[in-house]
Amino acid sequence: MTTLYIVTRFLTFFGAEARTFFEHLTCRILKLPIEDTRAFKPSELCAHVEHELAPKLGGAFLVCWLPFTLTTLMSCLFLLTGAYRILYIGDYSSLISWLLLWLGFSFAANCFPTFEDVLNLRDKLYGQKGHTVAKILLAPYFAVFFCGAWLERFSITFLTAGVFTAFFPQIFTAIFPLVKNIVQMSSDI
Amino acid sequence: MKDDKKNKSSLENLSGNYAADDLNEELERLARTFQQELDKAKQDAELNEKLGDIVQGLPDEETLEEADLCAACGERRRDKSVSPDYEYCSVCREAMRHYPLSIPALLLTVVLAVVAVVSAIDFCGYIDGYENVRLARKAEKENRPESAVEYYDMAIAIFESDDVSAKRLYLDSADDLMFAMPRGRSTMEDVCRRLQKAVDTIEAKIPLYARYNDVNEEAGAMAATLDLVEQTMNDEAFADYDGKDEETYKQIIAKLDAIGEQTVTVDALDGSTVTRPADLSVLYLMEYIFAYSTDHLDDTLRYLEKTEEAAPERLSLYAYEMGLVLVQNGDANRAKKYAEKLYAANKDSVYGPCLYATIYRMTGKPDEAHKWVDIAIDEMPDDVDLKRQKAMIYLSEDKPQEAYELLGGLMNDSSFAGYAQFYMTYIVAAHELGKTDNQAAAEEKLQTLETAYTDRMNDYLAGKLTAVQMFTKGTGDVE
């Protein structure tokens, strides 16, 4: 299983490298001791930074959320051209579109935190000293992180990223009118 | 003796040189110096004693196990205060909080971020095109294929202006056109053109495009079959046929039937030429039109049923006519089923609402008829025949004034070029109101079209048929 995991990280090289960088950045912000920042190491922590667990809830949440958000955001930006050009309108001749599609897929396949970080978040959030409001507000995030991190252990996020990429135009189309209005307002300004 | 004397004299000299006070001072100075040195020596001794204790207290290097050494520096003791299994010393742990960012990773991430932003900007540049595609897909879900094709065409224009290929849009619009078939033969040719634009000769061999190969061949076969029908109808042998001679009618029908046994050649997407059987649904539809135009009404239902049997999914070919024939034959319930299917399949088409309007008009429900014809008029407000449909409803409920006003507006438009059925309907309305001048004007226009009154019109003008009966019984129309 680890071998498969490492192989999928190599196949999604740019996403893995960027996610490792974002995790490193987050750990520096939180001043968490970092043990190993290599993106491609032959272990379960491939494409992750080896670091101490955050001691407080805020840190535990940030170490899961910030890399996830940045990676997912960049994936969406790549797919805006890649997925729309290739899957939505059928522009199969543009190599740049294929590259952007692969970048979007790579980032989508590397957006979830490590399972250890998620378990740490769970302990801080739902432990004895957990704050009730935080438990409710952060529950959706925790659910997403937990499922994603668990799936990533078995490299299933490689498949879920494929599904996300394939259906990205349909997903994004739900907020399309809002985006179009914003773009038009921006161009008017 | 001399030396002793020298020494004695030296001493005497010394004594003479140093006064008693000076000697005391010197001795005191020496005493202080000795005391200072003694104190210093004592301090050193004490310090050495302490250091000796410390040194004795330090463990020997042989007693510090490798397991206790920091995994990073290998010199200092591991900081067990963090956890019993912690591997690093406190100094290294502190340094790890400031682990430097990798410059190559930073540069790579910055470059990727810039590419991501450029991607978003490019997307925004084509947002109108993507919006049209979204509206086209939405129209498809709402069963409005003709609207979908319009949106696809707008999107294609936007993308192709920047040489962006939009294969999928051509394929999807070809599918919609094939289903809706709004303009008959020109639609068939349009379908083939779109598919040839989207799929090149090499791609046509890929199984992914197999379905579109079939659609292209189907559309091509339909157009080729129409060509054969036209050739038959334009045959010089039938040039003098006036629609009345029964023998000639049978000959023409026999020739048309023979087309059903023939094959047609079609240009395939891979550049080859394919042979397919003639398209029976198109053939039977043409036979229906021929039978209807020559007043062989007994044959019309049969040909429409054959059309449906040949291609039940092509509602646009037969459903409206089938519904009309059924309601004319008194089978309004079965006619309604075709109206339902037609309207559900293509909300853009006016045929579904028109069929509903006709059914309700001929079954004595003018309110429902008005509702449905108004739906059709909303879809195509400039369509003259829809206005005639509405006028027929008014006449069926004995409201000739409303019908007259509706059609009179068009009659008064000098640019309006009417057709026979329109003028006849107007004549009925004018006749009901006794407006003989307007009726005569319409009759003149009818004469310019070199069209005589139909049998039903003659019956109406002779008083054998009322206006209400004209539009509720029999064919429900002026012909």
Side-chain angles (χ1 to χ4, degrees), chain A residues 57-58 60-70 72 111-115 117-119 121-122 125-126 133-150:
Chain A
L57 173 60
F61 177 75
L62 198 66
V63 87
C64 292
W65 177 82
L66 188 59
F68 169 81
T69 301
L70 291 173
T72 306
C111 59
F112 294 107
T114 60
F115 203 59
D117 285 333
V118 175
L119 291 178
L121 174 63
R122 184 188 65 178
L125 188 59
Y126 297 106
V133 173
K135 283 180 189 174
I136 296 168
L137 289 176
L138 299 183
Y141 291 101
F142 171 72
V144 169
F145 296 152
F146 188 89
C147 293
W150 187 82

Short mmCIF file of all heavy atoms in Angstrom, two decimals, chain A residues 57-58 60-70 72 111-115 117-119 121-122 125-126 133-150:
data_model
loop_
_atom_site.label_atom_id
_atom_site.label_comp_id
_atom_site.label_asym_id
_atom_site.label_seq_id
_atom_site.Cartn_x
_atom_site.Cartn_y
_atom_site.Cartn_z
N LEU A 57 -5.74 23.76 19.87
CA LEU A 57 -6.77 23.55 18.86
C LEU A 57 -6.54 24.42 17.63
O LEU A 57 -6.64 23.95 16.49
CB LEU A 57 -8.16 23.84 19.46
CG LEU A 57 -9.33 23.83 18.47
CD1 LEU A 57 -9.47 22.47 17.81
CD2 LEU A 57 -10.64 24.20 19.18
N GLY A 58 -6.21 25.70 17.84
CA GLY A 58 -6.01 26.61 16.71
C GLY A 58 -4.93 26.12 15.78
O GLY A 58 -5.09 26.10 14.55
N ALA A 60 -3.75 23.02 15.60
CA ALA A 60 -4.13 21.73 15.02
C ALA A 60 -5.07 21.93 13.83
O ALA A 60 -4.97 21.25 12.81
CB ALA A 60 -4.83 20.87 16.07
N PHE A 61 -5.96 22.93 13.95
CA PHE A 61 -6.88 23.20 12.84
C PHE A 61 -6.14 23.82 11.66
O PHE A 61 -6.33 23.45 10.51
CB PHE A 61 -8.02 24.11 13.30
CG PHE A 61 -8.97 24.48 12.19
CD1 PHE A 61 -9.89 23.58 11.71
CD2 PHE A 61 -8.92 25.75 11.61
CE1 PHE A 61 -10.74 23.90 10.67
CE2 PHE A 61 -9.77 26.09 10.57
CZ PHE A 61 -10.69 25.17 10.11
N LEU A 62 -5.27 24.78 11.99
CA LEU A 62 -4.57 25.49 10.91
C LEU A 62 -3.68 24.57 10.11
O LEU A 62 -3.57 24.69 8.89
CB LEU A 62 -3.75 26.64 11.49
CG LEU A 62 -3.33 27.71 10.48
CD1 LEU A 62 -4.54 28.46 9.95
CD2 LEU A 62 -2.34 28.68 11.11
N VAL A 63 -3.04 23.62 10.79
CA VAL A 63 -2.11 22.73 10.08
C VAL A 63 -2.86 21.81 9.13
O VAL A 63 -2.29 21.30 8.16
CB VAL A 63 -1.27 21.95 11.10
CG1 VAL A 63 -1.96 20.66 11.54
CG2 VAL A 63 0.10 21.63 10.56
N CYS A 64 -4.15 21.59 9.40
CA CYS A 64 -4.98 20.80 8.47
C CYS A 64 -5.60 21.70 7.41
O CYS A 64 -5.63 21.36 6.22
CB CYS A 64 -6.12 20.10 9.22
SG CYS A 64 -5.58 18.80 10.32
N TRP A 65 -6.08 22.87 7.82
CA TRP A 65 -6.91 23.69 6.94
C TRP A 65 -6.11 24.48 5.91
O TRP A 65 -6.50 24.57 4.74
CB TRP A 65 -7.75 24.64 7.79
CG TRP A 65 -8.61 25.58 7.00
CD1 TRP A 65 -9.81 25.34 6.44
CD2 TRP A 65 -8.29 26.94 6.68
NE1 TRP A 65 -10.29 26.45 5.77
CE2 TRP A 65 -9.36 27.46 5.91
CE3 TRP A 65 -7.21 27.79 6.95
CZ2 TRP A 65 -9.39 28.77 5.42
CZ3 TRP A 65 -7.24 29.08 6.46
CH2 TRP A 65 -8.33 29.56 5.71
N LEU A 66 -5.00 25.11 6.34
CA LEU A 66 -4.31 26.03 5.43
C LEU A 66 -3.74 25.32 4.19
O LEU A 66 -4.01 25.76 3.06
CB LEU A 66 -3.24 26.80 6.19
CG LEU A 66 -2.57 27.93 5.39
CD1 LEU A 66 -3.60 28.96 4.93
CD2 LEU A 66 -1.50 28.62 6.23
N PRO A 67 -2.98 24.24 4.35
CA PRO A 67 -2.51 23.55 3.15
C PRO A 67 -3.65 23.02 2.29
O PRO A 67 -3.59 23.08 1.06
CB PRO A 67 -1.66 22.40 3.69
CG PRO A 67 -1.29 22.80 5.06
CD PRO A 67 -2.43 23.60 5.56
N PHE A 68 -4.71 22.53 2.95
CA PHE A 68 -5.87 22.01 2.21
C PHE A 68 -6.49 23.12 1.36
O PHE A 68 -6.79 22.94 0.17
CB PHE A 68 -6.90 21.46 3.21
CG PHE A 68 -8.24 21.15 2.60
CD1 PHE A 68 -8.45 19.97 1.92
CD2 PHE A 68 -9.30 22.04 2.71
CE1 PHE A 68 -9.69 19.67 1.34
CE2 PHE A 68 -10.54 21.75 2.14
CZ PHE A 68 -10.73 20.58 1.45
N THR A 69 -6.69 24.28 1.97
CA THR A 69 -7.33 25.39 1.26
C THR A 69 -6.48 25.89 0.11
O THR A 69 -6.97 26.10 -1.01
CB THR A 69 -7.61 26.53 2.25
OG1 THR A 69 -8.44 26.04 3.27
CG2 THR A 69 -8.29 27.70 1.56
N LEU A 70 -5.19 26.07 0.37
CA LEU A 70 -4.32 26.57 -0.69
C LEU A 70 -4.24 25.58 -1.84
O LEU A 70 -4.29 25.97 -3.01
CB LEU A 70 -2.92 26.85 -0.12
CG LEU A 70 -2.84 28.02 0.86
CD1 LEU A 70 -1.45 28.10 1.49
CD2 LEU A 70 -3.17 29.33 0.19
N THR A 72 -6.39 23.17 -2.67
CA THR A 72 -7.67 23.06 -3.37
C THR A 72 -7.94 24.29 -4.23
O THR A 72 -8.43 24.18 -5.36
CB THR A 72 -8.81 22.89 -2.35
OG1 THR A 72 -8.52 21.80 -1.50
CG2 THR A 72 -10.13 22.64 -3.04
N CYS A 111 -4.53 17.27 -1.55
CA CYS A 111 -5.01 18.40 -0.75
C CYS A 111 -5.25 18.04 0.72
O CYS A 111 -5.34 18.92 1.56
CB CYS A 111 -6.26 19.01 -1.38
SG CYS A 111 -7.63 17.88 -1.54
N PHE A 112 -5.30 16.75 1.05
CA PHE A 112 -5.70 16.40 2.41
C PHE A 112 -4.51 16.30 3.36
O PHE A 112 -3.40 15.97 2.95
CB PHE A 112 -6.48 15.08 2.41
CG PHE A 112 -7.79 15.18 1.68
CD1 PHE A 112 -7.95 14.59 0.44
CD2 PHE A 112 -8.86 15.88 2.23
CE1 PHE A 112 -9.15 14.70 -0.25
CE2 PHE A 112 -10.06 15.99 1.54
CZ PHE A 112 -10.19 15.40 0.31
N PRO A 113 -4.75 16.57 4.66
CA PRO A 113 -3.65 16.48 5.63
C PRO A 113 -3.35 15.02 5.99
O PRO A 113 -4.03 14.11 5.54
CB PRO A 113 -4.21 17.24 6.85
CG PRO A 113 -5.69 17.12 6.71
CD PRO A 113 -6.00 17.04 5.26
N THR A 114 -2.31 14.84 6.81
CA THR A 114 -1.99 13.49 7.26
C THR A 114 -3.04 13.02 8.26
O THR A 114 -3.70 13.83 8.92
CB THR A 114 -0.62 13.44 7.94
OG1 THR A 114 -0.65 14.31 9.08
CG2 THR A 114 0.49 13.85 7.00
N PHE A 115 -3.14 11.73 8.37
CA PHE A 115 -4.11 11.16 9.30
C PHE A 115 -3.75 11.52 10.74
O PHE A 115 -4.65 11.73 11.58
CB PHE A 115 -4.17 9.65 9.11
CG PHE A 115 -5.45 9.03 9.57
CD1 PHE A 115 -6.66 9.42 9.04
CD2 PHE A 115 -5.45 8.06 10.57
CE1 PHE A 115 -7.85 8.86 9.47
CE2 PHE A 115 -6.63 7.50 11.00
CZ PHE A 115 -7.83 7.90 10.46
N ASP A 117 -2.31 14.28 11.79
CA ASP A 117 -2.74 15.67 12.05
C ASP A 117 -4.25 15.71 12.29
O ASP A 117 -4.73 16.46 13.14
CB ASP A 117 -2.38 16.57 10.86
CG ASP A 117 -0.89 16.89 10.82
OD1 ASP A 117 -0.27 16.89 11.90
OD2 ASP A 117 -0.35 17.14 9.73
N VAL A 118 -4.98 14.92 11.54
CA VAL A 118 -6.43 14.92 11.68
C VAL A 118 -6.82 14.31 13.04
O VAL A 118 -7.73 14.81 13.72
CB VAL A 118 -7.10 14.15 10.53
CG1 VAL A 118 -8.60 14.04 10.74
CG2 VAL A 118 -6.82 14.83 9.20
N LEU A 119 -6.14 13.26 13.44
CA LEU A 119 -6.43 12.66 14.74
C LEU A 119 -6.09 13.64 15.86
O LEU A 119 -6.79 13.71 16.87
CB LEU A 119 -5.65 11.36 14.91
CG LEU A 119 -6.09 10.19 14.03
CD1 LEU A 119 -5.20 8.98 14.28
CD2 LEU A 119 -7.55 9.83 14.27
N LEU A 121 -6.25 16.85 15.58
CA LEU A 121 -7.35 17.82 15.56
C LEU A 121 -8.56 17.25 16.28
O LEU A 121 -9.24 17.95 17.05
CB LEU A 121 -7.71 18.16 14.11
CG LEU A 121 -8.93 19.06 13.90
CD1 LEU A 121 -8.72 20.43 14.52
CD2 LEU A 121 -9.24 19.22 12.41
N ARG A 122 -8.83 15.99 16.05
CA ARG A 122 -9.97 15.36 16.71
C ARG A 122 -9.80 15.39 18.22
O ARG A 122 -10.75 15.71 18.97
CB ARG A 122 -10.12 13.92 16.23
CG ARG A 122 -11.35 13.20 16.79
CD ARG A 122 -11.36 11.75 16.45
NE ARG A 122 -10.27 11.04 17.07
CZ ARG A 122 -10.07 9.73 16.96
NH1 ARG A 122 -10.88 9.00 16.24
NH2 ARG A 122 -9.05 9.15 17.53
N LEU A 125 -10.27 18.94 19.41
CA LEU A 125 -11.62 19.48 19.18
C LEU A 125 -12.66 18.77 20.04
O LEU A 125 -13.55 19.41 20.61
CB LEU A 125 -11.96 19.33 17.69
CG LEU A 125 -13.22 19.97 17.15
CD1 LEU A 125 -13.20 21.46 17.37
CD2 LEU A 125 -13.37 19.67 15.66
N TYR A 126 -12.56 17.46 20.09
CA TYR A 126 -13.59 16.68 20.77
C TYR A 126 -13.08 16.05 22.06
O TYR A 126 -13.72 15.17 22.63
CB TYR A 126 -14.14 15.59 19.82
CG TYR A 126 -14.82 16.19 18.62
CD1 TYR A 126 -14.22 16.15 17.37
CD2 TYR A 126 -16.05 16.83 18.75
CE1 TYR A 126 -14.82 16.72 16.27
CE2 TYR A 126 -16.66 17.42 17.65
CZ TYR A 126 -16.04 17.35 16.41
OH TYR A 126 -16.64 17.93 15.33
N VAL A 133 -18.99 25.43 20.77
CA VAL A 133 -19.21 26.19 19.53
C VAL A 133 -18.20 25.74 18.47
O VAL A 133 -18.54 25.55 17.31
CB VAL A 133 -19.09 27.70 19.80
CG1 VAL A 133 -19.15 28.46 18.49
CG2 VAL A 133 -20.19 28.16 20.73
N ALA A 134 -16.97 25.57 18.89
CA ALA A 134 -15.93 25.13 17.95
C ALA A 134 -16.27 23.74 17.42
O ALA A 134 -16.07 23.45 16.24
CB ALA A 134 -14.57 25.11 18.63
N LYS A 135 -16.77 22.88 18.27
CA LYS A 135 -17.14 21.53 17.85
C LYS A 135 -18.16 21.57 16.73
O LYS A 135 -18.10 20.81 15.77
CB LYS A 135 -17.73 20.73 19.02
CG LYS A 135 -16.73 20.23 20.00
CD LYS A 135 -17.42 19.46 21.13
CE LYS A 135 -16.42 19.15 22.21
NZ LYS A 135 -17.03 18.53 23.39
N ILE A 136 -19.12 22.48 16.87
CA ILE A 136 -20.18 22.55 15.86
C ILE A 136 -19.67 23.20 14.59
O ILE A 136 -19.87 22.70 13.48
CB ILE A 136 -21.39 23.35 16.43
CG1 ILE A 136 -21.98 22.60 17.62
CG2 ILE A 136 -22.44 23.58 15.35
CD1 ILE A 136 -22.98 23.40 18.42
N LEU A 137 -18.97 24.35 14.75
CA LEU A 137 -18.54 25.09 13.57
C LEU A 137 -17.49 24.33 12.77
O LEU A 137 -17.47 24.41 11.54
CB LEU A 137 -17.97 26.45 13.99
CG LEU A 137 -18.99 27.46 14.50
CD1 LEU A 137 -18.27 28.73 14.97
CD2 LEU A 137 -20.01 27.81 13.44
N LEU A 138 -16.62 23.64 13.44
CA LEU A 138 -15.52 22.98 12.74
C LEU A 138 -15.86 21.54 12.34
O LEU A 138 -15.03 20.87 11.71
CB LEU A 138 -14.26 22.98 13.61
CG LEU A 138 -13.73 24.36 13.99
CD1 LEU A 138 -12.43 24.24 14.78
CD2 LEU A 138 -13.51 25.24 12.76
N ALA A 139 -17.03 21.08 12.73
CA ALA A 139 -17.40 19.69 12.42
C ALA A 139 -17.36 19.38 10.92
O ALA A 139 -16.83 18.34 10.53
CB ALA A 139 -18.79 19.38 12.99
N PRO A 140 -17.91 20.25 10.04
CA PRO A 140 -17.84 19.92 8.61
C PRO A 140 -16.40 19.80 8.11
O PRO A 140 -16.07 18.92 7.33
CB PRO A 140 -18.55 21.09 7.93
CG PRO A 140 -19.36 21.72 9.00
CD PRO A 140 -18.64 21.50 10.27
N TYR A 141 -15.56 20.72 8.59
CA TYR A 141 -14.16 20.67 8.17
C TYR A 141 -13.52 19.37 8.64
O TYR A 141 -12.83 18.68 7.89
CB TYR A 141 -13.38 21.84 8.77
CG TYR A 141 -13.76 23.17 8.20
CD1 TYR A 141 -14.61 24.03 8.89
CD2 TYR A 141 -13.27 23.59 6.97
CE1 TYR A 141 -14.96 25.26 8.37
CE2 TYR A 141 -13.61 24.82 6.45
CZ TYR A 141 -14.46 25.64 7.15
OH TYR A 141 -14.81 26.86 6.63
N PHE A 142 -13.76 19.05 9.90
CA PHE A 142 -13.18 17.83 10.45
C PHE A 142 -13.64 16.61 9.65
O PHE A 142 -12.84 15.71 9.35
CB PHE A 142 -13.55 17.66 11.93
CG PHE A 142 -13.16 16.32 12.47
CD1 PHE A 142 -11.84 16.00 12.69
CD2 PHE A 142 -14.12 15.35 12.70
CE1 PHE A 142 -11.47 14.75 13.15
CE2 PHE A 142 -13.76 14.10 13.15
CZ PHE A 142 -12.43 13.79 13.39
N ALA A 143 -14.92 16.60 9.29
CA ALA A 143 -15.45 15.45 8.54
C ALA A 143 -14.72 15.32 7.20
O ALA A 143 -14.33 14.22 6.80
CB ALA A 143 -16.95 15.63 8.31
N VAL A 144 -14.55 16.44 6.52
CA VAL A 144 -13.87 16.41 5.21
C VAL A 144 -12.42 15.96 5.39
O VAL A 144 -11.92 15.10 4.66
CB VAL A 144 -13.92 17.80 4.55
CG1 VAL A 144 -13.01 17.87 3.34
CG2 VAL A 144 -15.35 18.13 4.15
N PHE A 145 -11.73 16.53 6.39
CA PHE A 145 -10.32 16.18 6.60
C PHE A 145 -10.19 14.71 6.96
O PHE A 145 -9.29 14.02 6.46
CB PHE A 145 -9.72 17.03 7.72
CG PHE A 145 -9.67 18.50 7.42
CD1 PHE A 145 -9.71 19.42 8.46
CD2 PHE A 145 -9.57 18.97 6.13
CE1 PHE A 145 -9.67 20.79 8.19
CE2 PHE A 145 -9.53 20.33 5.85
CZ PHE A 145 -9.59 21.24 6.90
N PHE A 146 -11.09 14.25 7.81
CA PHE A 146 -10.99 12.86 8.27
C PHE A 146 -11.18 11.90 7.11
O PHE A 146 -10.37 10.98 6.90
CB PHE A 146 -12.03 12.61 9.36
CG PHE A 146 -11.89 11.27 10.02
CD1 PHE A 146 -11.07 11.12 11.13
CD2 PHE A 146 -12.55 10.16 9.54
CE1 PHE A 146 -10.92 9.89 11.73
CE2 PHE A 146 -12.41 8.92 10.13
CZ PHE A 146 -11.59 8.78 11.24
N CYS A 147 -12.24 12.13 6.35
CA CYS A 147 -12.52 11.23 5.21
C CYS A 147 -11.38 11.29 4.19
O CYS A 147 -10.91 10.26 3.71
CB CYS A 147 -13.83 11.60 4.53
SG CYS A 147 -15.26 11.32 5.57
N GLY A 148 -10.95 12.50 3.88
CA GLY A 148 -9.90 12.65 2.88
C GLY A 148 -8.59 12.03 3.32
O GLY A 148 -7.93 11.32 2.56
N ALA A 149 -8.21 12.28 4.58
CA ALA A 149 -6.95 11.73 5.07
C ALA A 149 -7.00 10.21 5.13
O ALA A 149 -6.03 9.51 4.81
CB ALA A 149 -6.65 12.29 6.46
N TRP A 150 -8.16 9.69 5.50
CA TRP A 150 -8.31 8.23 5.56
C TRP A 150 -8.22 7.62 4.16
O TRP A 150 -7.54 6.61 3.94
CB TRP A 150 -9.64 7.88 6.22
CG TRP A 150 -9.80 6.42 6.49
CD1 TRP A 150 -9.32 5.71 7.54
CD2 TRP A 150 -10.49 5.47 5.66
NE1 TRP A 150 -9.66 4.38 7.43
CE2 TRP A 150 -10.38 4.21 6.29
CE3 TRP A 150 -11.18 5.57 4.46
CZ2 TRP A 150 -10.94 3.06 5.75
CZ3 TRP A 150 -11.73 4.42 3.93
CH2 TRP A 150 -11.62 3.19 4.56
#
